[in-house]
Amino acid sequence: MEKILVSACLLGENTRYDGKNNYFPFIEKLRVHYDIVPFCPEVEAGLSIPRVPAEISHGSVITKDGKDVTKLYNAAAEKALQLCRLLNIKTAILKDRSPACGPRNIHDGSFNGNVIEGHGITAHYLIKNGVKVYCETDNLSFLLPEEKPVEKKEVTVEKKEPIERKEPRKTFKKPYKKTFSKDHKDFKKDGKKPFHKFPKKKNFRRVKKDV
Ligand code: SF4
């Protein structure tokens, strides 16, 4: 099964500087199809939980109380890269805006909540070495295998060729049944054709025909 490196705090682990997490439920869907490898660069760097927050300023990682922790962040990024190489990880989903993880944006170093475009230290290492790095705000649905559409079976109707008839079709007529009136006997006697007696109807007019 393919492996994906994921920021530990996105998985619900309380590794943030304030002891909280950034749980990202979408990862649960990925668990079905991938081996999820959690990684927190700041914890790997040996920093405590909770800890003083840090931001990148002029290429260095500086804590809010002014301590330069760049070396620790670089060491953690190196560990992340080694892990990716060891486990053949080619994809990572990292928390955006973090000075370690952020693959799209980071804070500007003023600790005022300002965000600028840029990479966290670990994200930068991984991107530079060919790992595809995404963040939780990206559309990650492409990582889920497509559901196969139900194949529709085509119904084909065989065309039957018309049967050629050599002889014309015989039609059978119902034999005409002659009905005669009671006067039929009289017809035999005097040789005259009797009138056919129709059923009596109101306003019915008998029309004589010449024999
Ligand atoms: Fe989360 Fe990355 Fe910060 Fe660790 S370093 S808490 S994984 S954003």
Side-chain angles (χ1 to χ4, degrees), residues 43-62:
V43 170
E44 285 298 323
L47 300 172
S48 61
I49 305 169
R51 56 187 170 273
V52 180
E55 290 187 3
I56 295 175
S57 175
H58 303 290
S60 300
V61 189
I62 310 292

Side-chain angles (χ1 to χ4, degrees), residues 1-6 34-39 79-94 126 129-133:
M1 199 182 267
E2 194 181 332
K3 293 178 175 62
I4 295 183
L5 188 82
V6 179
Y34 301 90
D35 271 343
I36 302 298
V37 180
F39 189 84
K79 276 188 187 176
L81 183 59
Q82 282 176 8
L83 189 65
C84 287
R85 284 177 177 161
L86 187 72
L87 300 176
N88 195 28
I89 295 172
K90 289 168 183 163
T91 307
I93 301 169
L94 302 182
L126 298 185
N129 287 281
V131 179
K132 289 176 184 167
V133 182

Side-chain angles (χ1 to χ4, degrees), residues 190-208:
D190 56 15
K192 287 181 182 176
K193 191 177 179 182
F195 289 114
H196 182 78
K197 280 192 175 180
F198 292 94
K200 280 182 182 179
K201 284 184 182 175
K202 277 183 180 179
N203 302 327
F204 178 77
R205 257 176 73 203
R206 184 189 292 172
V207 179
K208 280 188 178 181

Side-chain angles (χ1 to χ4, degrees), residues 7-9 15-17 22 39-42 51 95 98 100-101:
S7 290
C9 60
T15 53
R16 263 172 49 148
Y17 73 94
N22 298 305
F39 189 84
C40 174
E42 289 178 0
R51 56 187 170 273
K95 174 74 183 75
S98 155
C101 291

Side-chain angles (χ1 to χ4, degrees), residues 10 23 28 31 44 63 70 92 103 107 136 169 175 188 206:
L10 291 177
Y23 179 61
E28 304 307 329
R31 281 187 195 279
E44 285 298 323
T63 61
T70 311
H107 289 283
E136 76 285 5
R169 198 169 191 167
K188 284 181 179 175
R206 184 189 292 172

